Amino acid sequence: MPKKEPVAEIFESVSDGLKQLYRSKIRPIEEAYKFGEFYSPYMNDSDFDAKPMVLLLGQYSVGKTSFIKYLLGRDFPGAHIGPEPTTDRFIAVMHGQEDKTTPGNALAVSANMPFRGLEMFGNGFLSKFQGAQLDSPLLHHVTLIDTPGVLSGEKQRIGRTYSFTEVCAWFASRADVILLLFDAHKLDISDEFKEAIEALKGHDDKIRVVLNKADAVDSQKLLRIYGALMWSLGKVIKTPECMRVYIGSFWDQPLRGSEWSRQLFEMEMRDLLTDLKNVPKNAAVRKVNELVKRVRLAKAHAYIVGHLKKEMPSYFGAQKAQAKLLANIEEHFLKVHRAHSLPVGDFPDVAKFRAVMEGHDLTKFPKLDTKAIAAMEHVLAHEIPKLMAQFPQEGTVSHSNSAV
Amino acid sequence: MPKKEPVAEIFESVSDGLKQLYRSKIRPIEEAYKFGEFYSPYMNDSDFDAKPMVLLLGQYSVGKTSFIKYLLGRDFPGAHIGPEPTTDRFIAVMHGQEDKTTPGNALAVSANMPFRGLEMFGNGFLSKFQGAQLDSPLLHHVTLIDTPGVLSGEKQRIGRTYSFTEVCAWFASRADVILLLFDAHKLDISDEFKEAIEALKGHDDKIRVVLNKADAVDSQKLLRIYGALMWSLGKVIKTPECMRVYIGSFWDQPLRGSEWSRQLFEMEMRDLLTDLKNVPKNAAVRKVNELVKRVRLAKAHAYIVGHLKKEMPSYFGAQKAQAKLLANIEEHFLKVHRAHSLPVGDFPDVAKFRAVMEGHDLTKFPKLDTKAIAAMEHVLAHEIPKLMAQFPQEGTVSHSNSAV
Ligand SMILES: Nc1ncnc2c1ncn2[C@@H]1O[C@H](COP(=O)(O)OP(=O)(O)OP(=O)(O)O)[C@@H](O)[C@H]1O
Ligand SMILES: Nc1ncnc2c1ncn2[C@@H]1O[C@H](COP(=O)(O)OP(=O)(O)OP(=O)(O)O)[C@@H](O)[C@H]1O
Ligand SMILES: [Mg+2]
Ligand SMILES: [Mg+2]
């Protein structure tokens, strides 16, 4: 993969822009109305700075670590390649001036790393998590996550000191692309791997499939294997559109096979590299979408709290009044919805909202701050579109992975 | 496809053997104990004589009629080929000395044809059913069923004067192979076609898939299409093993495309022809299995009726006694099961047996005929194995359609 791409710069400047907007205009309002307690935690700079992430998953020995080596064009610290299950930990392969490894415990407490959430998996996991830093152009714009191969049966369930599928789900929700690797030479999809794939539910649009070591079998056999793979994946992944599959052999050895099949593999491999190059652009689009969604929720939240606050008595009986308001909360949502023509989709879950608000004193919340609302609307209507103008024209449409 | 194959002769001689055995040794016993009323109708010679059947299904214009022409190496009477929906009826393409067509009504009443069951679909269907006879070596050992293309939406549902899926299910249960054709150039699987495929449930082992017109797209695109096809089929067909797919272009024009892909298509097409050549052998195996199953059921049935008959009083109160026997029929099944160590699987459905027997007078049935039972056992233990000895060694194992 060549050096720093213009798309990587777009990603960085968009991220920086979003970070500024959030920090200066959104977070103060979120804090005033305690948005973080009703929805997801307040965001920090590191949430914006985190590079797009590519997660690699597959059964053992399918060539995950070799694949990363192939992308980087070199070895990375802590990489082990071999025919037996070799990689025994999750490795975040990141950019750094010098080669070094960092233990998982240290990564999970670094404020400037996107791995703090991993603490919840405890030491059983953190001792099997590690950072690998090195200087490689690709890592300027993505972070790669190597993972231990999925084992079968007992070994997977008992041999591991953490829940493999839960950890995968955590990375999947933060990743921009999930590469599922399969070995054409030895295709079998174990129940354990199916479980891991099922844990990716809701992130189907991020999944790309790699049928690796494709040059190790003859073409007719390859067709059969590819067909069997699609047949099985179609059953496990519920979306009607099929995943994009890249057929090739991703390691540092020359391609084998007939000239024709080599040509095909080369096209496929080129397509995959192009797809990965677009990751930062798509990640930027996704970040924008996510922030827009968050700001809309925060706006609706401010309206709701402002409305409830207005309904409270000024002097006595606040507690009783609050209980009554919360008992009829749906009615009040409806009023807010009508008064400000807010989309229903921007309203919170009734039960959750009520539960959180019961732990608070409504009188302590600020009144509806119309200036703050106007500021949010300005962000949505002007400042974010200004950031988006940086995308090249087709870049505003997120990459589709449908095949036909 | 070349001339009459030795496998075709095996099929005929096995069928003839089964026919003799059934007519002389099994059917008389079945009739004595009214087996036909409790299970499926008595079998006629034509049930044994019927050639193995290959059913072709697919959306319109995928090339079903051209495919048949390709197999025959010539046109058949009543064949219409064209880009618009052309075939408007089911056509049974059969062997005959001279070219001729026969209307569906006539076919459905012919005692020596396997189509009598089709009368139940009435004239709405029979006017859209037709026989085509011609002299072609392939037709010595198989009958091909051309079908109208599956249309989409209204046209399929309203435009047809019979239930397309029910008719398909009828043919599917009698067919030995079901070929599902798809057009690589225009792959879309309509809801109507999915319905038709779902109607094939229970016959999954007969299904083979043909990805036709494969030389009309470039290889990378073909891969995508093939993958998408497997993805979708895996969702519609519930078996974990994937269907065998034959990729090629089955018509009378030379193959297009690169040399490499032409080679691949040729291999695939050859494989399909080999598979079809084995149809008679597999059909013979299936006929044997079906008859063995039927004889076992008939044997258990004779034991059951004989036992019940023995429990009946000789002079008075027959009606009451019969009612009591039928009320406790499970207990009696158990007794018969224990006394003759018959497998539980050979016993009839309790409710069905009771319902049919209620319409009969048990005293009218013959006693347990131990000689007849011995004759049946002789058929199972000696005469059928003797027929089977004709199969070449691998022929006794039915053809597997798993892909990898
Ligand atoms: N494209 C390829 N073609 C053929 N062999 C390959 C290819 N890529 C990797 N291999 C070989 O497969 C074996 C496993 O490779 P690797 O260690 O990279 O797999 P892995 O998926 O990381 O395994 P683990 O899950 O155990 O970490 C090694 O012997 C490697 O040399
Ligand atoms: N292998 C092939 N490659 C390219 N074109 C083909 C091929 N086979 C058939 N065709 C063309 O496709 C069109 C439809 O063919 P045909 O009538 O055989 O399809 P069909 O499935 O029988 O259609 P229908 O359901 O309407 O009866 C015709 O124009 C035919 O010439
Ligand atoms: Mg590894
Ligand atoms: Mg036709």
Side-chain angles (χ1 to χ4, degrees):
Chain A
M1 211 157 177
K3 53 188 170 328
K4 199 155 173 174
E5 299 283 331
V7 286
E9 278 154 27
I10 290 175
F11 174 79
E12 273 161 35
S13 87
V14 169
S15 289
D16 273 348
L18 293 176
K19 177 164 72 181
Q20 302 299 341
L21 284 177
Y22 178 76
R23 191 167 47 193
S24 62
K25 312 228 165 129
I26 308 299
R27 181 163 170 157
I29 310 174
E30 283 189 2
E31 283 176 349
Y33 295 97
K34 302 203 194 310
F35 178 84
E37 296 181 36
F38 289 83
Y39 289 87
S40 47
Y42 303 114
M43 293 170 77
N44 294 308
D45 286 0
S46 68
D47 291 311
F48 292 94
D49 292 335
K51 297 226 164 75
M53 224 184 247
V54 176
L55 174 65
L56 284 95
L57 290 177
Q59 299 192 170
Y60 75 87
S61 283
V62 296
K64 298 177 292 300
T65 306
S66 306
F67 183 92
I68 293 181
K69 215 178 122 182
Y70 166 85
L71 287 181
L72 299 176
R74 55 158 288 189
D75 235 327
F76 62 90
H80 297 289
I81 291 174
E84 285 307 289
T86 39
T87 308
D88 71 341
R89 56 197 61 200
F90 284 72
I91 303 184
V93 184
M94 302 173 287
H95 186 260
Q97 294 309 327
E98 294 181 357
D99 285 21
K100 72 166 180 184
T101 63
T102 317
N105 275 296
L107 280 185
V109 295
S110 303
N112 63 343
M113 292 277 178
F115 302 114
R116 280 165 309 153
L118 286 169
E119 277 191 285
M120 72 183 189
F121 296 108
N123 208 51
F125 171 71
L126 293 177
S127 64
K128 295 289 180 193
F129 177 46
Q130 170 174 314
Q133 270 155 317
L134 68 151
D135 193 8
S136 161
L138 171 65
L139 298 178
H140 283 291
H141 49 103
V142 287
T143 291
L144 306 169
I145 311 290
D146 193 10
T147 61
V150 175
L151 306 172
S152 301
E154 300 276 284
K155 281 196 213 111
Q156 172 81 358
R157 272 184 251 273
I158 298 169
R160 288 194 161 140
T161 51
Y162 55 90
S163 161
F164 185 82
T165 48
E166 280 172 30
V167 171
C168 284
W170 188 94
F171 277 105
S173 73
R174 272 139 198 95
D176 295 277
V177 169
I178 304 167
L179 289 179
L180 294 185
L181 273 80
F182 294 88
D183 182 341
H185 196 54
K186 204 186 79 204
L187 181 71
D188 79 305
I189 312 181
S190 67
D191 291 345
E192 287 72 23
F193 193 32
K194 276 191 194 138
E195 256 171 49
I197 297 175
E198 270 155 10
L200 307 178
K201 200 156 55 195
H203 309 296
D204 310 298
D205 57 322
K206 301 177 183 175
I207 301 179
R208 306 285 180 276
V209 177
V210 176
L211 186 54
N212 201 13
K213 309 192 188 179
D215 60 349
V217 292
D218 76 49
S219 345
Q220 218 189 353
K221 181 121 193 275
L222 180 61
L223 269 183
R224 298 278 90 74
I225 286 165
Y226 169 56
L229 173 63
M230 297 308 275
W231 180 275
S232 310
L233 280 181
K235 289 182 193 291
V236 184
I237 301 172
K238 299 301 174 201
T239 53
E241 310 79 35
C242 78
M243 304 280 123
R244 175 68 157 97
V245 178
Y246 300 92
I247 303 181
S249 186
F250 301 83
W251 67 338
D252 50 15
Q253 303 295 311
L255 280 172
R256 286 173 286 169
S258 70
E259 190 185 324
W260 186 90
S261 60
R262 284 205 314 273
Q263 266 175 21
L264 176 72
F265 298 153
E266 272 160 15
M267 281 191 283
E268 290 279 298
M269 290 158 79
R270 209 159 41 226
D271 282 359
L272 175 54
L273 293 187
T274 310
D275 199 357
L276 287 182
K277 267 187 218 150
N278 281 322
V279 166
K281 192 169 69 188
N282 299 323
V285 173
R286 210 156 63 79
K287 277 209 168 160
V288 169
N289 287 337
E290 276 167 12
L291 192 69
V292 167
K293 200 168 140 203
R294 185 174 177 110
V295 176
R296 295 172 54 134
L297 292 175
K299 194 180 100 182
H301 181 72
Y303 270 122
I304 294 166
V305 176
H307 167 85
L308 294 177
K309 169 87 180 178
K310 204 183 68 201
E311 298 284 306
M312 291 286 284
S314 326
Y315 300 107
F316 305 111
Q319 222 177 336
K320 233 173 150 178
Q322 173 166 347
K324 203 172 148 209
L325 280 173
L326 291 183
N328 300 316
I329 190 71
E330 270 143 320
E331 200 181 290
H332 292 284
F333 279 10
L334 204 64
K335 278 187 189 162
V336 176
H337 163 62
R338 291 217 187 96
H340 309 286
S341 28
L342 297 172
V344 180
D346 291 355
F347 280 76
D349 177 67
V350 169
K352 167 124 197 244
F353 182 88
R354 188 187 283 132
V356 179
M357 195 51 108
E358 271 164 0
H360 286 284
D361 178 354
L362 246 174
T363 58
K364 300 261 167 69
F365 279 87
K367 282 198 293 194
L368 183 66
D369 179 349
T370 49
K371 257 172 64 187
I373 298 266
M376 280 176 156
E377 266 161 5
H378 194 260
V379 167
L380 287 177
H382 301 285
E383 300 181 69
I384 288 184
K386 214 158 73 192
L387 276 179
M388 303 240 299
Q390 296 183 36
F391 292 122
Q393 204 46 48
E394 13 66 284
T396 48
V397 184
S398 106
H399 178 82
S400 146
N401 72 347
S402 85
V404 187
Chain B
M1 211 159 181
K3 55 190 166 334
K4 199 155 173 175
E5 297 284 331
V7 286
E9 278 154 28
I10 289 175
F11 174 77
E12 275 162 33
S13 87
V14 169
S15 289
D16 274 347
L18 293 176
K19 179 165 69 180
Q20 302 300 341
L21 283 178
Y22 179 75
R23 191 167 46 192
S24 62
K25 312 226 167 132
I26 308 298
R27 182 163 168 158
I29 310 175
E30 284 188 3
E31 284 176 350
Y33 294 97
K34 301 202 192 315
F35 179 83
E37 297 181 36
F38 289 83
Y39 289 87
S40 46
Y42 302 113
M43 293 170 78
N44 293 308
D45 285 1
S46 68
D47 290 311
F48 291 94
D49 292 335
K51 297 225 165 74
M53 222 183 247
V54 176
L55 173 66
L56 283 96
L57 290 176
Q59 300 192 168
Y60 76 87
S61 283
V62 296
K64 297 177 292 300
T65 306
S66 306
F67 183 91
I68 293 181
K69 214 177 123 183
Y70 166 84
L71 287 182
L72 299 176
R74 54 159 288 190
D75 234 329
F76 61 91
H80 296 290
I81 290 175
E84 285 306 290
T86 40
T87 309
D88 70 342
R89 55 197 61 201
F90 283 72
I91 304 183
V93 183
M94 300 175 287
H95 185 261
Q97 293 310 328
E98 294 181 356
D99 285 21
K100 72 167 182 183
T101 63
T102 315
N105 275 296
L107 280 185
V109 295
S110 302
N112 64 341
M113 291 276 178
F115 301 115
R116 280 166 308 154
L118 286 168
E119 278 192 283
M120 72 182 191
F121 296 110
N123 207 51
F125 171 70
L126 292 177
S127 65
K128 294 291 180 193
F129 177 45
Q130 169 173 315
Q133 269 154 319
L134 68 151
D135 192 8
S136 162
L138 172 66
L139 299 178
H140 282 293
H141 51 101
V142 287
T143 291
L144 305 168
I145 311 289
D146 194 9
T147 62
V150 175
L151 306 172
S152 301
E154 299 277 285
K155 280 195 214 113
Q156 171 82 357
R157 272 184 252 271
I158 298 170
R160 288 194 162 142
T161 52
Y162 56 90
S163 162
F164 185 81
T165 46
E166 280 172 31
V167 170
C168 285
W170 189 93
F171 277 105
S173 73
R174 272 139 198 95
D176 295 277
V177 169
I178 303 167
L179 289 179
L180 294 184
L181 273 81
F182 294 88
D183 182 340
H185 196 55
K186 204 186 79 207
L187 183 71
D188 79 304
I189 312 182
S190 67
D191 291 344
E192 287 72 22
F193 193 32
K194 275 191 196 141
E195 256 170 50
I197 298 176
E198 271 156 10
L200 307 179
K201 202 156 53 194
H203 309 295
D204 311 298
D205 57 322
K206 300 177 184 174
I207 301 178
R208 306 284 180 277
V209 177
V210 176
L211 186 54
N212 201 14
K213 310 191 188 179
D215 60 350
V217 293
D218 77 49
S219 347
Q220 219 188 354
K221 181 121 192 277
L222 181 61
L223 268 183
R224 297 279 88 73
I225 287 166
Y226 169 57
L229 173 63
M230 297 307 275
W231 181 274
S232 310
L233 281 182
K235 288 183 193 293
V236 185
I237 301 174
K238 300 301 175 202
T239 54
E241 312 78 35
C242 78
M243 303 282 122
R244 175 66 158 97
V245 178
Y246 299 93
I247 303 181
S249 186
F250 300 83
W251 67 338
D252 51 14
Q253 302 295 313
L255 281 172
R256 286 173 285 171
S258 70
E259 192 188 322
W260 186 88
S261 59
R262 283 204 316 272
Q263 266 175 22
L264 176 72
F265 298 153
E266 273 159 15
M267 280 191 282
E268 290 278 297
M269 291 159 78
R270 209 159 40 226
D271 282 359
L272 175 54
L273 292 187
T274 310
D275 200 356
L276 288 182
K277 267 188 218 151
N278 281 322
V279 167
K281 192 169 70 187
N282 299 323
V285 173
R286 212 156 60 80
K287 277 210 170 161
V288 169
N289 287 337
E290 277 167 12
L291 192 68
V292 166
K293 202 168 138 203
R294 185 174 177 109
V295 175
R296 295 172 54 133
L297 293 175
K299 194 180 101 182
H301 181 70
Y303 269 123
I304 294 167
V305 176
H307 166 85
L308 295 177
K309 169 87 180 177
K310 204 183 68 204
E311 299 283 306
M312 290 287 283
S314 326
Y315 300 105
F316 305 111
Q319 223 178 335
K320 233 172 152 179
Q322 174 165 345
K324 204 174 148 207
L325 281 173
L326 291 183
N328 300 318
I329 191 71
E330 270 143 321
E331 202 181 287
H332 292 285
F333 279 11
L334 205 64
K335 277 186 190 163
V336 177
H337 164 62
R338 291 218 187 97
H340 308 286
S341 26
L342 297 171
V344 180
D346 291 355
F347 281 76
D349 177 65
V350 169
K352 168 123 198 247
F353 182 88
R354 189 187 284 133
V356 179
M357 194 52 106
E358 271 162 0
H360 286 284
D361 178 356
L362 247 174
T363 58
K364 300 261 166 69
F365 278 87
K367 283 198 292 192
L368 183 66
D369 179 348
T370 48
K371 256 172 67 191
I373 299 263
M376 281 177 155
E377 266 162 6
H378 193 257
V379 167
L380 288 177
H382 300 286
E383 300 181 68
I384 288 182
K386 213 158 74 193
L387 276 178
M388 303 241 301
Q390 296 181 36
F391 291 123
Q393 205 47 49
E394 10 67 285
T396 46
V397 184
S398 106
H399 177 82
S400 145
N401 72 347
S402 85
V404 187

